[in-house]
Amino acid sequence: MSAQDASFYFLDASNTPMHMGSLAILQVPSGGLDFEAVLRLVEGRLHLVPRYRQKVREVAYGLARPVWVDDTDFDITYHVRRSALPSPGTDDQLHDLVARLTSRPLDTTRPLWEMYVVEGLAGNRCAVFVKSHSALVDGTHALDIGQVLLDEDDELPAVVDDLWMPERAPGEPALVAEALAQLVAQPREGIATLRMTLRDVNTVVDEASEVLGKLAALVRTAAQPAPSSLLNVPVSRSRRFAVARTDLERYREIRARYGCSINDAVLTVVAGAMRTWLLSRGEPVSEASTLRVLAPMSICEARPGTNGAAVVDVCGAGESGAEHAWTSSFLMDLPVGEPNPVMRLSHVQHATEEFARQGRPVTARTMVRLSGFAPASLHARAARLASGMSQRMFNLVVTNAPGPQIPLYLAGMRMVEMYPVSPLLENQTLGIALTSYDGYVHYGLNADRDAMPDVDVVAASLHESLEELVEAGG
């Protein structure tokens, strides 16, 4: 296991499980859901993600980092489960189920993933919810299983005859002997491993922050702690989940009207929604009020913007420059105190242009060195980045990852919606992740159940904030 994978494995806690989730809504064909076809599809594609048949084995006395070993008792029916809502199930019931499933840590004695096929959703639909541990998915060498299950046509894929023979795991004496040899050869790495094993979480975070601080140093906002916020209180073990589905064309209209990027429009919409939520809570909001966001994203090559500055644009499949996308992240203060949506957009646009001028080259190299590059797994790497940075530096994580702008199919069923579910960090009560797919922008909001009983207010406010921004220039 790599050092970074090991850090996420040990940072996992009962109130902050470090798994990424994804929720796909599928249209069921007239013949009904064929669960066995889904099961065969998953089993036939597992050879593309071999780590999904491996489990974690810790080395005695913490002498070395844990290792991945084949699960000789691997049982596909444990990992792919059939569930159902009381028909006709509502979206709210589905979101409650996703919240409960997200709250549960994964079984570390088995491969670190689960998939739930949920039947009974109204409108002749079903859902597939997948959660994979952040230690399992790095986006480069270990992909998320969702990346290999979707096809571009509705024909049932041919089943691959995959005769998998698990390798025998090394015995405990062999692992200890190898660990001792490595400890002698690389004593500093051995000490770091022992610290992780003893759950010295502060040490792990501080070491990650030392590297990631180079990234944050490029951004002026990183010089000061994040503002005090209701979003930063201890989190419980339970979650709430809400979604918002918005039209991608509306963001393109804003981009064309104001010469901004789609990501500028997204962050402005989030700022407006968080402003509405704060006001609904009766919080004092002045024109100077801000929320600090960490915004990992997949972006294209910069293009000319206002005053000759570069505009950092988020790529969507089919957008110009998408094939040249790379991964980056920045901190910025969302102007939640600004009542004028156009002025909010102006503040956001200025911040992203400043980032493009000052931080782009070094940030790109830093991110690639830390976690590799694969746009489809951006949400997983966003969780890795956010976990390593000091939580005093931001109030909220907002992850924006592009998706394909063509319909995709799972076992012959068309996927009509897709929502990412990002993990919550310690003292982070809300995580917002969004993905563009087939003409829509899908927001997934993962929230602490106790601290955010009104997460639905944020979801509804995203729609209102988008319309407010569109109509402001109409």
Side-chain angles (χ1 to χ4, degrees), residues 251-454:
Y251 299 89
R252 289 171 173 162
E253 291 174 15
I254 295 168
R255 179 178 64 180
R257 181 179 302 149
Y258 296 105
C260 64
S261 72
I262 289 178
N263 189 63
D264 292 338
V266 164
L267 290 174
T268 303
V269 167
V270 171
M274 297 310 298
R275 170 184 169 82
T276 300
W277 174 74
L278 287 168
L279 291 172
S280 75
R281 284 281 188 106
E283 288 296 301
V285 178
S286 69
E287 290 193 7
S289 297
T290 60
L291 283 178
R292 178 81 52 78
V293 298
L294 175 66
M297 67 189 70
S298 182
I299 57 181
C300 301
E301 295 297 329
R303 57 180 174 81
T306 58
N307 301 321
V311 171
V312 180
D313 210 353
V314 171
C315 296
E319 302 264 31
S320 175
E323 67 277 10
H324 302 299
W326 43 272
T327 304
S328 191
S329 177
F330 68 102
L331 292 167
M332 71 172 296
D333 290 334
L334 286 184
V336 295
E338 174 56 62
N340 186 313
V342 178
M343 289 302 298
R344 284 199 295 267
L345 175 61
S346 178
H347 287 305
V348 169
Q349 188 175 3
H350 174 76
T352 55
E353 289 177 355
E354 187 72 10
F355 164 73
R357 283 195 298 268
Q358 295 188 8
R360 187 175 77 102
V362 177
T363 303
R365 289 196 296 269
T366 302
M367 289 302 299
V368 169
R369 184 175 69 250
L370 283 172
S371 55
F373 171 67
S377 292
L378 178 64
H379 291 294
R381 285 198 310 283
R384 289 169 171 247
L385 172 64
S387 297
M389 296 187 74
S390 170
Q391 293 150 20
R392 295 184 300 273
M393 294 172 63
F394 56 89
N395 305 118
L396 175 68
V397 180
V398 179
T399 308
N400 185 349
Q405 299 309 306
I406 58 172
L408 295 178
Y409 299 83
L410 191 153
M413 297 179 290
R414 178 170 177 167
M415 182 171 69
V416 292
E417 301 172 43
M418 59 183 301
Y419 299 99
V421 187
S422 60
L424 294 187
L425 309 177
E426 194 68 43
N427 299 320
Q428 300 281 327
T429 63
L430 175 66
I432 300 178
L434 57 136
T435 296
S436 59
Y437 166 67
D438 198 19
Y440 291 90
V441 177
H442 299 85
Y443 291 82
L445 284 68
N446 189 23
D448 180 74
R449 186 171 188 83
D450 296 338
M452 291 286 296
D454 51 355

Side-chain angles (χ1 to χ4, degrees), residues 14 47 52-53 88 96 112 115 124 129 201 253 257 299 308 315 327 330 342 357 370 405 412 449 453 455-456:
S14 60
H47 69 282
Y52 276 67
R53 285 189 285 212
D96 286 343
L112 298 174
M115 175 183 292
N124 203 31
F129 177 66
V201 174
E253 291 174 15
R257 181 179 302 149
I299 57 181
C315 296
T327 304
F330 68 102
V342 178
R357 283 195 298 268
L370 283 172
Q405 299 309 306
R449 186 171 188 83
V455 65
D456 286 334

